[in-house]
Amino acid sequence: MYVIGERINGMFTDIGNAIAAKDKKPVQAMAEKQLAAGASALDINVGTRVPKADRAAVMQWLVETVREVTNKPLCVDTPALETMRVGVAAAAKGGLPVVINSTIGQQDKLEAFMALAHEFDASIIGLSIDEKGVAATCEEKLEIAMRTIAAAMEAGVDVEKVYLDPIVLPVNVNQTAPGIVLETIRQIKMLSDPAPHVVVGLSNLGQGALEKHLINRTFLVMAIGAGMDASIHDPLDEELTNAMVTAELLLNKSIYSDSYLKAYRQG
Ligand code: THG
């Protein structure tokens, strides 16, 4: 599993406060902790407390702060093209790997973000959202997925670099949505050979629910079973990580030993 650590996000109080105080220490410590826990990449999101006019400059600061402690892929998380360009340029400096998180499937946005991906040799996450909002049905999600793949090919972005995100929303808001996402994952995996990568922002699912950790953990296992190969979540959640590693073991993606959980943590 390609785990993208979600914790460097201004929506969390510790990181929000560090951003406000321009204090690098808590940000760098959080980057190192997530990587030590097995994250393959780190999401970087300034959050909503930062005024819109300052977001590009704050994104640059946040990316440069994390880049001081790692050469791993940084996943620049913003819907704004200008903030994305600034963040991606900072993250990709020296030819280091970067992920654009994200583009929506509206044609003009797809073209602009795919051009940026091509320019920086970046990977890119394509959401199942377009001018009509979040796609509700499996058919609509697949239609946007196919448009996203087509736009990547047009822009010269290798399909291997595209991650499709069918969008999970809080289960306490709409209980039919998670099943639709699982079905969409299964179908995306049949679109082509090799199949496009699939990612979700897992923590959206349990947001506001008392049993959010259990809900997120159970869904992660189901989504892995459906073919999902990447996830934006908290790698510091040990039970979540144990469930993920066990799901991969049961799908024969890693070798069994009695100490397989320990083996994962030792890298
Ligand atoms: N898809 C993609 N990128 C994304 C998302 C997605 N980036 C942002 C978000 N969604 C993923 N990251 C988070 C981070 C935190 C929470 C949800 C999604 C969250 N956290 C706490 C919770 O679980 O209740 C609340 C915050 C706190 O503890 O202060 O909800 O879908 N491509």
Side-chain angles (χ1 to χ4, degrees):
M1 277 283 286
Y2 190 74
V3 174
I4 302 169
E6 74 178 7
R7 282 291 275 100
I8 300 178
N9 185 321
M11 81 174 282
F12 293 101
T13 309
D14 52 357
I15 301 300
N17 290 344
I19 289 171
K22 287 275 154 64
D23 182 3
K24 291 182 176 182
K25 284 273 150 57
V27 173
Q28 293 176 335
M30 185 54 77
E32 286 170 333
K33 266 198 291 190
Q34 292 185 96
L35 293 168
S40 306
L42 300 175
D43 199 61
I44 311 285
N45 185 318
V46 300
T48 48
R49 267 165 68 187
V50 176
K52 278 208 167 129
D54 302 341
R55 283 187 193 163
V58 172
M59 179 63 86
Q60 182 172 352
W61 176 83
L62 199 53
V63 166
E64 286 173 354
T65 296
V66 176
R67 266 289 172 248
E68 288 178 14
V69 298
T70 183
N71 289 338
K72 287 281 170 77
L74 300 186
C75 190
V76 183
D77 190 352
T78 172
L81 183 60
E82 192 44 39
T83 301
M84 183 63 79
R85 169 173 282 283
V86 168
V88 166
K93 226 179 204 168
L96 295 176
V98 57
V99 183
I100 292 175
N101 185 17
S102 48
T103 178
I104 62 170
Q106 190 180 307
Q107 204 56 39
D108 58 331
K109 302 269 184 201
L110 267 184
E111 285 169 18
F113 282 85
M114 286 297 172
L116 194 64
H118 184 257
E119 183 180 342
F120 288 94
D121 197 24
S123 296
I124 182 164
I125 298 176
L127 308 175
S128 353
I129 298 179
D130 65 8
E131 52 274 30
K132 291 177 283 182
V134 178
T137 67
C138 189
E139 291 70 26
E140 288 167 321
K141 288 179 196 288
L142 285 168
E143 204 249 311
I144 296 174
M146 288 187 285
R147 246 191 277 155
T148 303
I149 297 293
M153 293 167 81
E154 283 286 316
V157 174
D158 189 344
V159 176
E160 277 288 298
K161 295 210 145 194
V162 178
Y163 289 76
L164 299 172
D165 181 343
I167 297 276
V168 299
L169 295 170
V171 64
N172 62 5
V173 173
N174 178 354
Q175 224 184 310
T176 64
I180 292 169
V181 168
L182 292 173
E183 182 55 25
T184 305
I185 294 170
R186 286 185 202 101
Q187 301 223 14
I188 287 172
K189 285 293 160 183
M190 295 189 293
L191 277 182
S192 59
D193 187 14
H197 297 296
V198 180
V199 66
V200 299
L202 185 68
S203 301
N204 301 355
L205 185 68
Q207 228 170 15
L210 181 64
E211 298 290 0
K212 65 180 181 183
H213 294 288
L214 177 61
I215 290 167
N216 292 345
R217 182 159 85 237
T218 303
F219 186 81
L220 179 60
V221 169
M222 295 168 83
I224 291 171
M228 186 175 79
D229 57 357
S231 174
I232 304 166
H233 67 233
D234 182 2
L236 305 177
D237 180 335
E238 288 183 16
E239 288 185 297
L240 181 68
T241 300
N242 286 348
M244 173 188 82
V245 172
T246 304
E248 294 191 288
L249 175 78
L250 296 174
L251 290 169
N252 199 28
K253 290 180 177 167
S254 61
I255 295 169
Y256 179 81
S257 79
D258 283 341
S259 54
Y260 74 94
L261 292 176
K262 211 169 137 197
Y264 175 80
R265 289 185 165 80
Q266 286 165 351

